[in-house]
Amino acid sequence: MDLSATTVFSGGEFRRYDEAKVGLLTHGLQYGTGCFEGIRGYWNAEDRELYLVLLREHYDRLKISAKILLMELPYSVDELIAMTVELAKRNAFETDIYMRPCIFKAAEDIGVRLHNVPDHFAIIPVPFGTYLDPNKALNVCTSSWRRADDTMAPPRAKITGLYVNSALAKSEAITNGFDEAILLSHDGHVAEGSAENLFLVRHGKLYTPDPSQNVLEGCTRRAIMTIAESNGIEVVERSIDRGELYAADELFFTGTAAGIAPIGTIDRRTVGTGTVGPITRKLSEIYQRAVRGQEPAFASWLTRTYGAKVSA
Ligand code: PMP
Protein backbone atom coordinates (compact mmCIF):
# COMPACT_ATOMS: atom_id res chain seq x y z
CA MET A 1 0.00 0.00 0.00
CA ASP A 2 1.62 3.29 -1.08
CA LEU A 3 0.75 5.80 1.64
CA SER A 4 3.43 8.37 0.82
CA ALA A 5 0.90 10.96 -0.37
CA THR A 6 -1.55 10.29 2.48
CA THR A 7 -2.13 12.85 5.24
CA VAL A 8 -2.50 11.34 8.70
CA PHE A 9 -3.17 12.80 12.15
CA SER A 10 -0.36 11.94 14.58
CA GLY A 11 1.01 13.48 17.76
CA GLY A 12 -1.46 16.37 17.67
CA GLU A 13 -0.81 17.41 14.04
CA PHE A 14 -1.79 16.64 10.50
CA ARG A 15 1.31 15.37 8.68
CA ARG A 16 2.43 13.10 5.84
CA TYR A 17 2.36 9.37 6.57
CA ASP A 18 6.12 9.11 5.91
CA GLU A 19 6.85 11.79 8.49
CA ALA A 20 4.92 10.06 11.30
CA LYS A 21 7.29 7.40 12.61
CA VAL A 22 7.43 5.24 15.74
CA GLY A 23 10.58 3.72 17.25
CA LEU A 24 11.48 0.03 17.36
CA LEU A 25 11.14 -0.26 21.15
CA THR A 26 7.71 1.34 21.26
CA HIS A 27 5.71 -0.27 24.08
CA GLY A 28 2.59 -0.74 21.94
CA LEU A 29 4.58 -2.63 19.31
CA GLN A 30 6.51 -4.80 21.76
CA TYR A 31 3.65 -5.62 24.17
CA GLY A 32 0.47 -5.07 22.14
CA THR A 33 -0.58 -2.29 24.52
CA GLY A 34 -2.77 -0.23 22.24
CA CYS A 35 -6.33 -0.06 21.04
CA PHE A 36 -7.87 1.01 17.79
CA GLU A 37 -10.96 1.47 15.67
CA GLY A 38 -11.89 0.75 12.09
CA ILE A 39 -14.22 3.29 10.53
CA ARG A 40 -15.67 3.25 7.03
CA GLY A 41 -16.24 6.08 4.63
CA TYR A 42 -18.41 5.40 1.55
CA TRP A 43 -18.21 7.56 -1.55
CA ASN A 44 -21.49 8.43 -3.25
CA ALA A 45 -20.56 9.67 -6.73
CA GLU A 46 -24.01 11.08 -7.43
CA ASP A 47 -24.05 13.18 -4.25
CA ARG A 48 -20.29 13.85 -4.60
CA GLU A 49 -20.13 13.06 -0.91
CA LEU A 50 -17.99 10.84 1.30
CA TYR A 51 -20.23 9.52 4.10
CA LEU A 52 -18.38 8.60 7.31
CA VAL A 53 -20.26 5.84 9.11
CA LEU A 54 -21.13 5.61 12.83
CA LEU A 55 -18.33 7.96 13.93
CA ARG A 56 -19.80 8.60 17.38
CA GLU A 57 -20.30 4.88 18.06
CA HIS A 58 -16.71 4.08 17.05
CA TYR A 59 -15.21 6.87 19.15
CA ASP A 60 -17.38 6.00 22.15
CA ARG A 61 -15.98 2.47 21.90
CA LEU A 62 -12.41 3.75 21.53
CA LYS A 63 -12.85 5.76 24.74
CA ILE A 64 -13.89 2.58 26.57
CA SER A 65 -11.03 0.52 25.11
CA ALA A 66 -8.58 3.26 26.15
CA LYS A 67 -10.00 3.43 29.66
CA ILE A 68 -9.58 -0.32 30.08
CA LEU A 69 -5.89 0.08 29.12
CA LEU A 70 -5.45 3.02 31.57
CA MET A 71 -5.10 5.50 28.73
CA GLU A 72 -7.00 8.72 28.24
CA LEU A 73 -7.89 10.05 24.81
CA PRO A 74 -6.82 13.70 24.83
CA TYR A 75 -9.91 14.73 22.81
CA SER A 76 -13.67 14.62 23.31
CA VAL A 77 -15.79 12.49 20.99
CA ASP A 78 -17.00 15.69 19.25
CA GLU A 79 -13.41 16.80 18.69
CA LEU A 80 -12.49 13.37 17.35
CA ILE A 81 -15.41 13.50 14.93
CA ALA A 82 -14.39 16.95 13.69
CA MET A 83 -10.77 15.83 13.32
CA THR A 84 -11.81 12.77 11.31
CA VAL A 85 -13.90 14.85 8.91
CA GLU A 86 -10.99 17.29 8.51
CA LEU A 87 -8.61 14.42 7.79
CA ALA A 88 -10.89 12.99 5.09
CA LYS A 89 -11.22 16.47 3.59
CA ARG A 90 -7.45 17.10 3.55
CA ASN A 91 -6.98 13.85 1.64
CA ALA A 92 -9.72 14.89 -0.84
CA PHE A 93 -10.88 11.28 -1.08
CA GLU A 94 -13.35 10.44 -3.84
CA THR A 95 -13.42 6.72 -3.14
CA ASP A 96 -14.50 4.34 -0.38
CA ILE A 97 -12.10 4.57 2.55
CA TYR A 98 -11.19 2.96 5.86
CA MET A 99 -9.94 5.05 8.80
CA ARG A 100 -7.76 3.61 11.54
CA PRO A 101 -7.75 5.70 14.75
CA CYS A 102 -5.40 4.22 17.33
CA ILE A 103 -3.97 5.05 20.72
CA PHE A 104 -1.01 3.13 22.01
CA LYS A 105 1.60 3.14 24.78
CA ALA A 106 4.44 5.11 23.30
CA ALA A 107 7.34 4.72 25.76
CA GLU A 108 10.52 3.31 24.25
CA ASP A 109 11.81 1.30 27.19
CA ILE A 110 11.70 -2.18 28.70
CA GLY A 111 9.01 -3.21 31.20
CA VAL A 112 5.52 -4.57 30.66
CA ARG A 113 2.83 -2.57 32.47
CA LEU A 114 -0.08 -0.21 31.79
CA HIS A 115 0.51 2.53 34.36
CA ASN A 116 2.89 5.46 33.98
CA VAL A 117 3.45 5.05 30.24
CA PRO A 118 2.82 7.98 27.86
CA ASP A 119 0.30 7.48 25.05
CA HIS A 120 0.29 8.42 21.39
CA PHE A 121 -2.85 8.98 19.33
CA ALA A 122 -3.05 8.78 15.55
CA ILE A 123 -5.60 8.41 12.76
CA ILE A 124 -4.52 6.80 9.49
CA PRO A 125 -6.94 6.84 6.53
CA VAL A 126 -6.59 4.53 3.52
CA PRO A 127 -8.55 4.15 0.28
CA PHE A 128 -10.44 0.87 0.70
CA GLY A 129 -12.84 -0.75 -1.76
CA THR A 130 -14.98 -3.86 -1.37
CA TYR A 131 -13.57 -6.12 1.34
CA LEU A 132 -15.76 -9.19 0.79
CA ASP A 133 -18.23 -9.76 -2.05
CA PRO A 134 -21.70 -9.43 -0.38
CA ASN A 135 -23.13 -11.82 -3.02
CA LYS A 136 -20.70 -14.65 -2.36
CA ALA A 137 -21.42 -16.98 0.54
CA LEU A 138 -18.31 -17.79 2.59
CA ASN A 139 -17.04 -21.23 3.55
CA VAL A 140 -16.22 -21.07 7.25
CA CYS A 141 -14.98 -23.43 9.95
CA THR A 142 -15.10 -23.59 13.72
CA SER A 143 -11.63 -22.69 14.90
CA SER A 144 -9.52 -24.90 17.13
CA TRP A 145 -8.51 -21.63 18.82
CA ARG A 146 -10.86 -20.34 21.52
CA ARG A 147 -11.85 -16.68 21.78
CA ALA A 148 -9.89 -14.93 24.52
CA ASP A 149 -11.95 -14.81 27.69
CA ASP A 150 -12.80 -11.58 29.50
CA THR A 151 -10.90 -12.90 32.54
CA MET A 152 -7.70 -12.96 30.42
CA ALA A 153 -8.06 -9.74 28.40
CA PRO A 154 -11.45 -8.15 27.69
CA PRO A 155 -12.63 -8.76 24.10
CA ARG A 156 -15.14 -5.90 24.39
CA ALA A 157 -12.11 -3.62 24.13
CA LYS A 158 -10.52 -3.46 20.68
CA ILE A 159 -6.99 -4.14 21.95
CA THR A 160 -4.14 -4.55 19.47
CA GLY A 161 -2.50 -7.44 21.37
CA LEU A 162 -5.78 -9.39 21.35
CA TYR A 163 -5.61 -9.65 17.56
CA VAL A 164 -3.04 -12.44 17.90
CA ASN A 165 -6.07 -14.53 18.86
CA SER A 166 -7.86 -13.46 15.67
CA ALA A 167 -4.78 -13.90 13.47
CA LEU A 168 -4.16 -17.47 14.72
CA ALA A 169 -7.77 -18.40 13.92
CA LYS A 170 -7.85 -16.64 10.55
CA SER A 171 -4.60 -18.16 9.29
CA GLU A 172 -5.62 -21.62 10.48
CA ALA A 173 -8.90 -21.25 8.55
CA ILE A 174 -7.29 -19.97 5.35
CA THR A 175 -4.46 -22.52 5.31
CA ASN A 176 -7.06 -25.26 5.78
CA GLY A 177 -8.98 -24.04 2.73
CA PHE A 178 -11.74 -21.98 4.41
CA ASP A 179 -12.52 -18.28 4.03
CA GLU A 180 -12.97 -17.41 7.69
CA ALA A 181 -13.14 -18.88 11.20
CA ILE A 182 -15.77 -18.83 13.94
CA LEU A 183 -14.27 -18.84 17.42
CA LEU A 184 -15.96 -20.49 20.39
CA SER A 185 -15.53 -19.18 23.93
CA HIS A 186 -13.62 -21.15 26.55
CA ASP A 187 -16.95 -22.76 27.57
CA GLY A 188 -17.78 -23.92 24.03
CA HIS A 189 -20.39 -21.30 23.17
CA VAL A 190 -20.25 -19.41 19.89
CA ALA A 191 -18.43 -16.07 20.13
CA GLU A 192 -17.62 -14.44 16.77
CA GLY A 193 -15.47 -14.42 13.64
CA SER A 194 -11.82 -13.32 13.61
CA ALA A 195 -12.91 -9.71 12.98
CA GLU A 196 -16.69 -9.93 12.65
CA ASN A 197 -19.76 -10.52 14.78
CA LEU A 198 -21.99 -13.45 13.91
CA PHE A 199 -25.74 -13.72 13.37
CA LEU A 200 -27.93 -16.72 12.67
CA VAL A 201 -31.47 -16.84 11.29
CA ARG A 202 -33.85 -19.56 12.37
CA HIS A 203 -37.61 -19.65 11.75
CA GLY A 204 -37.55 -15.98 10.73
CA LYS A 205 -35.83 -14.71 13.91
CA LEU A 206 -32.33 -13.30 14.22
CA TYR A 207 -30.00 -14.61 16.95
CA THR A 208 -26.61 -13.27 17.99
CA PRO A 209 -24.36 -13.89 21.03
CA ASP A 210 -25.03 -11.37 23.79
CA PRO A 211 -22.24 -9.05 25.00
CA SER A 212 -21.29 -11.41 27.86
CA GLN A 213 -20.10 -14.04 25.31
CA ASN A 214 -16.58 -12.61 24.84
CA VAL A 215 -17.45 -10.64 21.73
CA LEU A 216 -16.54 -7.19 20.57
CA GLU A 217 -19.69 -5.07 20.80
CA GLY A 218 -19.69 -4.36 17.07
CA CYS A 219 -20.99 -1.09 15.65
CA THR A 220 -22.26 -2.93 12.54
CA ARG A 221 -23.85 -5.56 14.81
CA ARG A 222 -25.89 -2.82 16.50
CA ALA A 223 -26.77 -1.22 13.15
CA ILE A 224 -28.00 -4.54 11.71
CA MET A 225 -30.09 -5.16 14.84
CA THR A 226 -31.68 -1.73 14.35
CA ILE A 227 -32.42 -2.42 10.67
CA ALA A 228 -33.88 -5.83 11.54
CA GLU A 229 -36.11 -4.49 14.29
CA SER A 230 -37.35 -1.61 12.14
CA ASN A 231 -38.33 -4.21 9.51
CA GLY A 232 -40.30 -6.32 11.97
CA ILE A 233 -37.61 -9.01 12.41
CA GLU A 234 -37.21 -10.06 16.04
CA VAL A 235 -33.63 -10.07 17.35
CA VAL A 236 -32.60 -12.31 20.25
CA GLU A 237 -29.26 -11.83 22.05
CA ARG A 238 -28.30 -14.98 23.95
CA SER A 239 -25.63 -17.65 24.25
CA ILE A 240 -25.52 -19.87 21.15
CA ASP A 241 -24.38 -23.51 20.88
CA ARG A 242 -22.17 -24.79 18.07
CA GLY A 243 -24.90 -27.20 16.93
CA GLU A 244 -27.27 -24.30 16.39
CA LEU A 245 -24.96 -23.07 13.62
CA TYR A 246 -25.53 -26.35 11.76
CA ALA A 247 -29.32 -26.06 12.20
CA ALA A 248 -29.50 -22.41 11.08
CA ASP A 249 -31.50 -21.33 8.02
CA GLU A 250 -29.05 -18.48 7.39
CA LEU A 251 -25.75 -17.35 8.89
CA PHE A 252 -23.84 -14.14 8.33
CA PHE A 253 -21.01 -12.03 9.69
CA THR A 254 -21.14 -8.29 10.31
CA GLY A 255 -18.23 -5.89 10.52
CA THR A 256 -17.12 -2.43 9.51
CA ALA A 257 -14.80 -3.64 6.73
CA ALA A 258 -17.24 -6.11 5.17
CA GLY A 259 -20.70 -4.87 6.13
CA ILE A 260 -22.73 -8.10 5.95
CA ALA A 261 -20.88 -11.20 4.77
CA PRO A 262 -23.14 -14.22 4.12
CA ILE A 263 -21.98 -17.72 5.11
CA GLY A 264 -22.69 -20.64 2.73
CA THR A 265 -21.10 -23.53 4.61
CA ILE A 266 -20.02 -24.13 8.20
CA ASP A 267 -17.67 -27.04 8.93
CA ARG A 268 -18.51 -28.44 5.44
CA ARG A 269 -22.26 -28.40 6.14
CA THR A 270 -24.44 -26.31 3.84
CA VAL A 271 -26.26 -23.43 5.51
CA GLY A 272 -29.83 -23.26 4.20
CA THR A 273 -29.59 -23.48 0.40
CA GLY A 274 -25.89 -22.56 0.41
CA THR A 275 -26.58 -19.21 -1.23
CA VAL A 276 -27.41 -15.83 0.25
CA GLY A 277 -30.65 -16.26 2.25
CA PRO A 278 -33.62 -13.87 1.98
CA ILE A 279 -33.25 -12.18 5.39
CA THR A 280 -29.48 -11.79 4.94
CA ARG A 281 -30.05 -10.28 1.49
CA LYS A 282 -32.70 -7.87 2.72
CA LEU A 283 -30.62 -6.63 5.67
CA SER A 284 -27.51 -6.37 3.49
CA GLU A 285 -29.27 -4.35 0.80
CA ILE A 286 -30.69 -1.90 3.33
CA TYR A 287 -27.31 -1.59 5.06
CA GLN A 288 -25.48 -0.98 1.78
CA ARG A 289 -27.94 1.76 0.84
CA ALA A 290 -27.84 3.26 4.35
CA VAL A 291 -24.05 3.72 4.37
CA ARG A 292 -24.17 5.61 1.07
CA GLY A 293 -26.84 8.04 2.27
CA GLN A 294 -29.74 6.36 0.46
CA GLU A 295 -31.87 5.38 3.47
CA PRO A 296 -33.30 8.51 5.13
CA ALA A 297 -34.37 6.46 8.19
CA PHE A 298 -30.69 5.83 9.01
CA ALA A 299 -29.24 9.20 7.96
CA SER A 300 -28.22 9.87 11.59
CA TRP A 301 -25.50 7.19 11.23
CA LEU A 302 -23.64 9.29 8.69
CA THR A 303 -21.35 12.31 8.85
CA ARG A 304 -20.72 14.23 5.64
CA THR A 305 -17.16 15.07 4.64
CA TYR A 306 -17.75 17.72 2.03
CA GLY A 307 -21.18 18.93 3.08
CA ALA A 308 -22.74 18.64 -0.38
CA LYS A 309 -26.51 18.52 -0.56
CA VAL A 310 -28.13 15.16 -1.29
CA SER A 311 -30.09 15.33 -4.55
CA ALA A 312 -33.84 14.95 -4.07
N1 PMP B 1 -15.37 -8.63 16.33
C1 PMP B 1 -14.06 -8.38 16.15
C2 PMP B 1 -13.08 -9.22 16.88
C3 PMP B 1 -13.65 -7.35 15.29
O1 PMP B 1 -12.34 -7.11 15.10
C4 PMP B 1 -14.62 -6.59 14.61
C5 PMP B 1 -14.18 -5.50 13.66
N2 PMP B 1 -14.05 -4.28 14.32
C6 PMP B 1 -15.97 -6.89 14.83
C7 PMP B 1 -16.31 -7.91 15.70
C8 PMP B 1 -17.05 -6.09 14.17
O2 PMP B 1 -17.14 -4.84 14.80
P1 PMP B 1 -17.60 -3.54 14.00
O3 PMP B 1 -18.91 -3.83 13.41
O4 PMP B 1 -17.63 -2.47 15.00
O5 PMP B 1 -16.55 -3.33 12.94
Side-chain angles (χ1 to χ4, degrees), residues 94-111:
E94 294 194 356
T95 178
D96 293 351
I97 63 159
Y98 180 93
M99 291 253 188
R100 170 57 59 83
C102 54
I103 177 166
F104 55 89
K105 302 283 180 186
E108 294 174 66
D109 62 19
I110 306 293

Side-chain angles (χ1 to χ4, degrees), residues 130 132-138 258 260-264 274-277 280-282 284-285 288:
T130 306
L132 292 172
D133 179 353
N135 298 310
K136 183 191 171 286
L138 302 175
I260 290 189
I263 297 172
T275 57
V276 184
T280 308
R281 185 171 298 285
K282 180 170 184 176
S284 174
E285 285 173 357
Q288 286 178 57

Side-chain angles (χ1 to χ4, degrees), residues 131-153:
Y131 181 65
L132 292 172
D133 179 353
N135 298 310
K136 183 191 171 286
L138 302 175
N139 297 312
V140 309
C141 60
T142 306
S143 183
S144 70
W145 296 98
R146 294 295 172 101
R147 183 71 174 120
D149 184 69
D150 196 88
T151 56
M152 305 166 187

Side-chain angles (χ1 to χ4, degrees), residues 61 147 158 163 192 194-197 216 218-220 254-256:
R61 188 170 67 187
R147 183 71 174 120
K158 201 164 162 59
Y163 278 80
E192 58 184 341
S194 68
E196 307 88 12
N197 292 111
L216 184 74
C219 299
T220 322
T254 63
T256 295

